[in-house]
Amino acid sequence: MLRVWCCVMLVAASAAGAVRVSDAALRTPVAVVDHAEPGATLRYVGTLRWLLGAGGDRSGAARLAVEAGYPAEVHRRVPTDDGYFLTALRLANPGKPVVLFTHGLMTNGAAWVSNLPHNDLAFMLYDAGFDVWVAHFRGTKDSLAHRYLSVHSQQYWDFSVTEYALYDLPAMLDLITANAGQRSVILVGHSEGASSALAMLSLLPRYADTVSLLVALAPSAYLQHSTQPVISFASKFHIVDTMKLLHITHFTGFEPIGSFVQGSVCHLMPRFCSVTMNAIAGWDLPNMNYTRTEVLFCFVLFH
């Protein structure tokens, strides 16, 4: 019944005007580099989730990059030392200085390629001559695979910023140094992505030789004094502990719901969705580009 309901939501979202990349972008080949060992057995969430874009050339981030006119190279099934398989997007400028982008909580790497080229940092740095890499941390739509755990299990979701620091970021940096021909990487992290980088450099100081510059945008640590309504409420009332009691393991994985909301509400009332997003991420309405609200809900938030 759940899969039937999800399909109905997708049809409704499409009918309501859901954002989709152009037919030309969908037809444009995307280079896919598979890093799984030969014969490796992987566990995925299921056929429906895979068809919705969990990895490979169906990556939403890759399609957004192609739509914007940039070459997309997807590195999938990048192994971590604790059994997860990740995905990275590369906008290749071989031989040029390397920059790696890491995303924040409840988003994925598509956050870095969701704006227009003239005001999107990843695109701007590519145009300036950088070899751009974008990470998708474990548990996001493009990094769901595991060597033996199913995403339906609580054990799969038993991770935090510590695991990002100990496993995901090192896997990404090792991937880049092995494939880009560069020994140093500029690291740009937002929120949880920035906190992960700071934790990694503390817990694994050997990577300080690899990270030549860390740009930490709004790194998060303690949330008790947050002025953002949703975050403040969650912190003061210990929502995480409540979720554990209710066996709610994660916020991501709601693509059908997100697409439906985007298609039926955000397409018609972008300012309403912008206010909703600001309530979660922080109030900055004067700097919101309302024309991109649909893209954020369709490709980035809760993915």
Side-chain angles (χ1 to χ4, degrees):
M1 286 299 296
L2 177 60
R3 293 184 179 231
V4 172
W5 181 84
C6 289
C7 290
V8 172
M9 293 297 100
L10 286 172
V11 171
S14 178
V19 163
R20 290 185 294 275
V21 294
S22 68
D23 291 339
L26 289 173
R27 290 194 301 267
T28 302
V30 174
V32 178
V33 182
D34 199 320
H35 295 273
E37 305 92 333
T41 300
L42 287 72
R43 296 289 298 275
Y44 293 100
V45 68
T47 303
L48 176 63
R49 185 64 173 276
W50 182 259
L51 291 174
L52 286 171
D57 63 354
R58 295 183 178 88
S59 165
R63 291 305 172 190
L64 287 172
V66 170
E67 175 80 357
Y70 292 85
E73 183 179 289
V74 176
H75 291 254
R76 67 176 187 140
R77 300 201 291 189
V78 178
T80 69
D81 288 341
D82 61 340
Y84 289 80
F85 289 88
L86 313 177
T87 296
L89 170 68
R90 182 186 187 187
L91 308 181
N93 258 328
K96 301 296 185 180
V98 177
V99 57
L100 170 65
F101 289 92
T102 58
H103 59 82
L105 180 68
M106 294 190 292
T107 67
N108 62 74
W112 292 107
V113 291
S114 59
N115 250 324
L116 300 174
H118 68 278
N119 61 6
D120 188 293
L121 185 57
F123 294 147
M124 294 168 69
L125 288 181
Y126 175 85
D127 291 336
F130 286 85
D131 190 2
V132 175
W133 295 72
V134 179
H136 297 279
F137 285 152
R138 65 183 65 193
T140 58
K141 185 180 72 169
D142 291 320
S143 295
L144 288 172
H146 194 279
R147 189 175 299 278
Y148 55 87
L149 292 176
S150 165
V151 293
H152 298 297
S153 69
Q154 283 190 290
Q155 188 179 355
Y156 176 96
W157 297 101
D158 188 15
F159 58 79
S160 68
V161 66
T162 302
E163 282 68 34
Y164 292 158
L166 289 176
Y167 302 110
D168 290 17
L169 260 178
M172 287 293 164
L173 291 172
D174 292 344
L175 168 74
I176 292 171
T177 54
N179 287 271
Q182 300 285 347
R183 298 181 61 86
S184 64
V185 177
I186 298 170
L187 183 52
V188 179
H190 170 240
S191 189
E192 189 176 54
S195 302
S196 302
L198 291 170
M200 179 195 70
L201 293 172
S202 176
L203 297 170
L204 303 173
R206 67 181 181 274
Y207 282 99
D209 294 331
T210 302
V211 179
S212 60
L213 172 68
L214 170 61
V215 181
L217 303 175
S220 56
Y222 301 101
L223 303 177
Q224 294 94 322
H225 304 293
S226 173
T227 58
Q228 301 162 19
V230 174
I231 300 299
S232 177
F233 177 85
S235 175
K236 291 178 180 179
F237 292 93
H238 306 286
I239 296 301
V240 172
D241 294 332
T242 303
M243 290 176 61
K244 288 180 179 179
L245 291 174
L246 297 175
H247 302 289
I248 300 174
T249 55
H250 59 288
F251 286 113
T252 57
F254 301 111
E255 287 85 3
I257 300 173
S259 295
F260 173 71
V261 171
Q262 179 277 323
S264 60
V265 179
C266 298
H267 181 73
L268 300 174
M269 297 184 293
R271 289 181 180 270
F272 170 80
C273 288
S274 296
V275 170
T276 302
M277 189 159 49
N278 275 253
I280 299 173
W283 295 103
D284 196 18
L285 287 174
N287 291 310
M288 279 293 300
N289 183 347
Y290 297 109
T291 67
R292 307 303 289 175
T293 304
E294 296 176 82
V295 175
L296 292 174
F297 270 86
C298 199
F299 290 102
V300 179
L301 294 175
F302 306 112
H303 285 54

